[in-house]
């Protein structure tokens, strides 16, 4: 994949959220302008753009047609644990936390949360010694 572009409801809130999360996952700030910003990792980048006020009334719902969630690769299970603690400290809504870290199945070590627009964010350790048997 080359890039993905996401329109957001509040650019400042999205920037605060992604500017602490994405660098931990190896992304670097790539572009910034008045109505948007992007982060890059290798040859892929993700763009966030402020939605026009006239289109904010409908908001986002991940269960409607369109994107459901973004899944990012963590370096290992320890990084997933650290990000979970940071999410909790920032009072960011966690999803499926009662089943952490195996909400995605016994061999899927991940944390799930919501970004400011309620887009589901998943951070997963692809290979982990902490997998269930």
């Amino acid at each position: 994949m080359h890039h993905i572009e996401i329109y957001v409801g509040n650019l400042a809130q999205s920037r605060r959220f992604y500017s602490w999360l994405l660098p931990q996952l190896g992304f670097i700030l790539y572009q910034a302008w008045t109505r948007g910003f992007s982060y890059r990792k290798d040859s892929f980048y993700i763009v966030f753009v402020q939605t026009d006020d006239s289109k904010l009334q409908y908001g986002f719902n991940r269960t409607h047609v369109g994107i459901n969630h973004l899944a990012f690769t963590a370096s290992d299970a320890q990084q997933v644990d650290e990000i979970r603690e940071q999410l909790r400290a920032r009072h960011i809504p966690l999803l499926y936390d009662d089943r952490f870290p195996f909400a995605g199945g016994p061999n899927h070590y991940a944390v799930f949360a919501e970004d400011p627009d309620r887009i589901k964010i998943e951070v997963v350790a692809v290979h982990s010694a902490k997998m269930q048997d």
Side-chain angles (χ1 to χ4, degrees):
M1 183 173 291
H2 187 265
H3 72 277
I4 188 167
E5 186 169 317
I6 299 171
Y7 275 57
V8 298
N10 184 307
L11 188 66
Q13 287 178 354
S14 293
R15 185 149 190 184
R16 275 192 300 277
F17 179 85
Y18 287 103
S19 291
W20 75 264
L21 176 64
L22 293 178
Q24 293 182 75
L25 300 170
F27 286 79
I28 59 169
L29 184 64
Y30 181 46
Q31 301 164 314
W33 63 100
T34 305
R35 296 189 54 84
F37 64 96
S38 66
Y39 274 84
R40 180 174 54 89
K41 182 175 182 179
D42 302 321
S43 61
F44 170 75
Y45 62 100
I46 185 168
V47 182
F48 302 90
V49 178
Q50 176 62 54
T51 300
D52 290 333
D53 289 343
S54 65
K55 297 189 176 104
L56 286 173
Q57 66 187 359
Y58 300 109
F60 172 79
N61 187 316
R62 69 176 173 269
T63 63
H64 290 177
V65 173
I67 193 166
N68 175 269
H69 71 280
L70 301 173
F72 296 96
T73 303
S75 58
D76 54 27
Q78 180 178 340
Q79 186 179 35
V80 171
D81 294 344
E82 291 168 0
I83 288 172
R84 177 177 177 251
E85 289 309 311
Q86 291 175 40
L87 289 163
R88 293 175 80 188
R90 292 172 177 267
H91 306 287
I92 294 169
L94 296 174
L95 303 173
Y96 328 119
D97 200 45
D98 59 322
R99 294 182 278 152
F100 176 80
F102 298 108
N107 294 312
H108 193 81
Y109 198 99
V111 63
F112 298 84
E114 289 183 330
D115 84 349
D117 286 300
R118 300 195 64 211
I119 295 173
K120 184 177 9 177
I121 301 299
E122 177 180 356
V123 180
V124 59
V126 177
H127 302 289
S128 174
K130 294 184 177 184
M131 298 301 185
Q132 290 180 339
D133 293 326

